[in-house]
Tab-separated table of all heavy atoms in Angstrom:
chain	number	residue	atom	x	y	z
A	307	LEU	N	13.392	4.390	-12.923
A	307	LEU	CA	13.567	5.782	-13.131
A	307	LEU	C	13.566	6.582	-11.934
A	307	LEU	O	12.861	6.380	-11.037
A	307	LEU	CB	12.484	6.184	-14.066
A	307	LEU	CG	12.109	5.331	-15.205
A	307	LEU	CD1	10.979	6.108	-16.094
A	307	LEU	CD2	13.331	5.172	-16.187
A	308	VAL	N	14.530	7.557	-11.910
A	308	VAL	CA	14.652	8.476	-10.741
A	308	VAL	C	14.595	9.933	-11.364
A	308	VAL	O	15.193	10.165	-12.326
A	308	VAL	CB	16.035	8.225	-10.051
A	308	VAL	CG1	16.171	9.167	-8.925
A	308	VAL	CG2	16.016	6.775	-9.526
A	309	ARG	N	13.767	10.696	-10.659
A	309	ARG	CA	13.769	12.148	-11.038
A	309	ARG	C	15.175	12.708	-11.046
A	309	ARG	O	15.823	12.653	-10.156
A	309	ARG	CB	12.759	12.918	-10.142
A	309	ARG	CG	12.441	14.210	-10.825
A	309	ARG	CD	11.231	14.859	-10.081
A	309	ARG	NE	11.513	15.420	-8.819
A	309	ARG	CZ	10.640	15.851	-7.884
A	309	ARG	NH1	9.276	15.471	-8.096
A	309	ARG	NH2	11.065	16.347	-6.796
A	310	GLU	N	15.404	13.549	-12.060
A	310	GLU	CA	16.842	14.070	-12.361
A	310	GLU	C	17.383	14.813	-11.296
A	310	GLU	O	18.596	14.817	-10.884
A	310	GLU	CB	16.760	14.832	-13.555
A	310	GLU	CG	16.576	14.067	-14.925
A	310	GLU	CD	16.259	14.988	-16.064
A	310	GLU	OE1	15.562	15.998	-15.938
A	310	GLU	OE2	16.623	14.618	-17.110
A	311	ASP	N	16.596	15.476	-10.391
A	311	ASP	CA	17.046	16.292	-9.384
A	311	ASP	C	16.924	15.620	-7.956
A	311	ASP	O	17.297	16.272	-6.951
A	311	ASP	CB	16.228	17.657	-9.137
A	311	ASP	CG	14.743	17.392	-8.930
A	311	ASP	OD1	14.298	16.299	-8.906
A	311	ASP	OD2	14.044	18.482	-8.582
A	312	GLN	N	16.696	14.225	-8.041
A	312	GLN	CA	16.635	13.456	-6.786
A	312	GLN	C	17.496	12.289	-6.808
A	312	GLN	O	17.353	11.379	-5.939
A	312	GLN	CB	15.191	12.890	-6.749
A	312	GLN	CG	14.099	14.081	-6.564
A	312	GLN	CD	14.256	14.641	-5.095
A	312	GLN	OE1	14.340	14.013	-4.080
A	312	GLN	NE2	14.042	16.032	-5.084
A	313	THR	N	18.464	12.307	-7.630
A	313	THR	CA	19.359	11.141	-7.883
A	313	THR	C	20.124	10.779	-6.576
A	313	THR	O	20.534	9.681	-6.253
A	313	THR	CB	20.250	11.155	-9.017
A	313	THR	OG1	21.110	12.391	-8.889
A	313	THR	CG2	19.522	11.247	-10.358
A	314	ASP	N	20.378	11.790	-5.724
A	314	ASP	CA	21.164	11.720	-4.590
A	314	ASP	C	20.287	11.646	-3.300
A	314	ASP	O	20.732	11.719	-2.278
A	314	ASP	CB	22.260	12.744	-4.362
A	314	ASP	CG	23.358	12.576	-5.521
A	314	ASP	OD1	23.669	11.315	-5.983
A	314	ASP	OD2	23.865	13.655	-5.975
A	315	ALA	N	18.984	11.562	-3.449
A	315	ALA	CA	18.072	11.743	-2.316
A	315	ALA	C	18.232	10.401	-1.478
A	315	ALA	O	18.104	9.377	-1.826
A	315	ALA	CB	16.655	11.902	-2.719
A	316	PRO	N	18.430	10.755	-0.016
A	316	PRO	CA	18.602	9.615	0.809
A	316	PRO	C	17.264	8.671	0.891
A	316	PRO	O	17.455	7.561	1.042
A	316	PRO	CB	18.709	10.344	2.206
A	316	PRO	CG	19.154	11.699	1.948
A	316	PRO	CD	18.542	11.971	0.641
A	317	GLU	N	16.085	9.240	0.717
A	317	GLU	CA	14.839	8.397	0.680
A	317	GLU	C	14.867	7.401	-0.490
A	317	GLU	O	13.986	6.540	-0.496
A	317	GLU	CB	13.694	9.287	0.710
A	317	GLU	CG	13.503	10.166	-0.468
A	317	GLU	CD	12.320	11.113	-0.430
A	317	GLU	OE1	11.210	10.628	0.084
A	317	GLU	OE2	12.560	12.253	-0.604
A	318	LEU	N	15.708	7.508	-1.409
A	318	LEU	CA	15.835	6.553	-2.503
A	318	LEU	C	16.940	5.386	-2.339
A	318	LEU	O	17.065	4.580	-3.168
A	318	LEU	CB	15.910	7.256	-3.864
A	318	LEU	CG	15.039	8.313	-4.228
A	318	LEU	CD1	15.284	8.879	-5.592
A	318	LEU	CD2	13.676	7.735	-4.235
A	319	ALA	N	17.553	5.490	-1.222
A	319	ALA	CA	18.779	4.620	-1.033
A	319	ALA	C	18.234	3.123	-1.027
A	319	ALA	O	18.971	2.320	-1.541
A	319	ALA	CB	19.368	4.886	0.276
A	320	HIS	N	17.169	2.842	-0.604
A	320	HIS	CA	16.657	1.437	-0.405
A	320	HIS	C	16.317	0.977	-1.923
A	320	HIS	O	16.602	-0.206	-2.265
A	320	HIS	CB	15.363	1.361	0.302
A	320	HIS	CG	14.220	1.809	-0.227
A	320	HIS	ND1	13.983	3.270	-0.378
A	320	HIS	CD2	12.985	1.193	-0.710
A	320	HIS	CE1	12.881	3.394	-0.993
A	320	HIS	NE2	12.158	2.321	-1.193
A	321	LEU	N	15.944	1.752	-2.703
A	321	LEU	CA	15.650	1.560	-4.170
A	321	LEU	C	16.930	1.176	-4.785
A	321	LEU	O	17.039	0.291	-5.650
A	321	LEU	CB	14.940	2.568	-4.950
A	321	LEU	CG	13.423	2.883	-4.524
A	321	LEU	CD1	12.962	4.021	-5.101
A	321	LEU	CD2	12.714	1.534	-4.871
A	322	TYR	N	17.953	2.000	-4.696
A	322	TYR	CA	19.234	1.812	-5.202
A	322	TYR	C	19.884	0.371	-4.839
A	322	TYR	O	20.378	-0.350	-5.598
A	322	TYR	CB	20.251	2.929	-4.874
A	322	TYR	CG	20.055	4.070	-5.685
A	322	TYR	CD1	19.824	5.399	-4.984
A	322	TYR	CD2	19.977	4.272	-7.049
A	322	TYR	CE1	19.692	6.605	-5.686
A	322	TYR	CE2	19.738	5.314	-7.664
A	322	TYR	CZ	19.456	6.539	-6.998
A	322	TYR	OH	19.333	7.783	-7.656
A	323	GLN	N	19.572	0.050	-3.451
A	323	GLN	CA	20.125	-1.209	-2.984
A	323	GLN	C	19.396	-2.374	-3.655
A	323	GLN	O	20.031	-3.361	-4.117
A	323	GLN	CB	19.891	-1.267	-1.453
A	323	GLN	CG	20.375	-2.481	-0.845
A	323	GLN	CD	21.900	-2.795	-0.941
A	323	GLN	OE1	22.679	-1.868	-1.045
A	323	GLN	NE2	22.311	-4.145	-1.151
A	324	LEU	N	18.012	-2.248	-3.792
A	324	LEU	CA	17.354	-3.246	-4.472
A	324	LEU	C	17.718	-3.498	-5.921
A	324	LEU	O	17.870	-4.489	-6.377
A	324	LEU	CB	15.811	-3.023	-4.286
A	324	LEU	CG	15.083	-3.368	-3.121
A	324	LEU	CD1	13.643	-2.899	-3.094
A	324	LEU	CD2	15.147	-4.922	-2.702
A	325	ALA	N	17.939	-2.333	-6.591
A	325	ALA	CA	18.246	-2.408	-7.988
A	325	ALA	C	19.701	-3.111	-8.120
A	325	ALA	O	19.933	-3.788	-9.063
A	325	ALA	CB	18.320	-1.019	-8.557
A	326	LYS	N	20.506	-2.699	-7.196
A	326	LYS	CA	21.852	-3.406	-7.243
A	326	LYS	C	21.746	-4.882	-7.079
A	326	LYS	O	22.423	-5.623	-7.839
A	326	LYS	CB	22.835	-2.725	-6.164
A	326	LYS	CG	24.177	-3.250	-6.180
A	326	LYS	CD	25.026	-2.517	-5.121
A	326	LYS	CE	26.455	-3.127	-4.967
A	326	LYS	NZ	27.200	-2.535	-3.869
A	327	GLU	N	21.047	-5.307	-6.121
A	327	GLU	CA	20.853	-6.617	-5.795
A	327	GLU	C	20.320	-7.460	-6.990
A	327	GLU	O	20.513	-8.563	-7.301
A	327	GLU	CB	20.017	-6.927	-4.623
A	327	GLU	CG	20.631	-6.553	-3.254
A	327	GLU	CD	19.723	-6.671	-2.095
A	327	GLU	OE1	18.711	-7.343	-2.197
A	327	GLU	OE2	20.048	-6.069	-0.928
A	328	LYS	N	19.368	-6.900	-7.656
A	328	LYS	CA	18.659	-7.447	-8.745
A	328	LYS	C	18.979	-7.194	-10.110
A	328	LYS	O	18.456	-7.624	-11.105
A	328	LYS	CB	17.087	-7.177	-8.579
A	328	LYS	CG	16.540	-7.525	-7.168
A	328	LYS	CD	15.024	-7.533	-7.228
A	328	LYS	CE	14.579	-8.120	-5.852
A	328	LYS	NZ	13.157	-8.477	-5.884
A	329	GLY	N	20.200	-6.431	-10.218
A	329	GLY	CA	20.726	-6.027	-11.639
A	329	GLY	C	19.771	-5.274	-12.407
A	329	GLY	O	19.754	-5.433	-13.710
A	330	VAL	N	19.110	-4.350	-11.939
A	330	VAL	CA	18.274	-3.394	-12.606
A	330	VAL	C	18.897	-2.136	-12.984
A	330	VAL	O	19.547	-1.396	-12.147
A	330	VAL	CB	16.945	-3.123	-11.715
A	330	VAL	CG1	16.018	-2.173	-12.456
A	330	VAL	CG2	16.209	-4.444	-11.408
A	331	THR	N	18.664	-1.680	-14.156
A	331	THR	CA	19.193	-0.327	-14.755
A	331	THR	C	18.439	0.677	-13.998
A	331	THR	O	17.252	0.760	-13.921
A	331	THR	CB	18.910	-0.298	-16.220
A	331	THR	OG1	19.569	-1.429	-16.858
A	331	THR	CG2	19.465	1.044	-16.649
A	332	VAL	N	19.264	1.764	-13.522
A	332	VAL	CA	18.720	2.957	-12.812
A	332	VAL	C	18.906	3.992	-13.791
A	332	VAL	O	20.078	4.308	-14.316
A	332	VAL	CB	19.348	3.183	-11.665
A	332	VAL	CG1	18.804	4.567	-11.024
A	332	VAL	CG2	19.160	2.020	-10.534
Side-chain angles (χ1 to χ4, degrees):
L307 308 183
V308 176
R309 195 163 78 194
E310 291 168 324
D311 64 349
Q312 295 289 318
T313 54
D314 295 326
E317 63 188 310
L318 303 183
H320 73 291
L321 286 173
Y322 285 124
Q323 179 61 35
L324 282 173
K326 181 179 179 181
E327 292 177 12
K328 301 195 173 193
V330 175
T331 301
V332 180

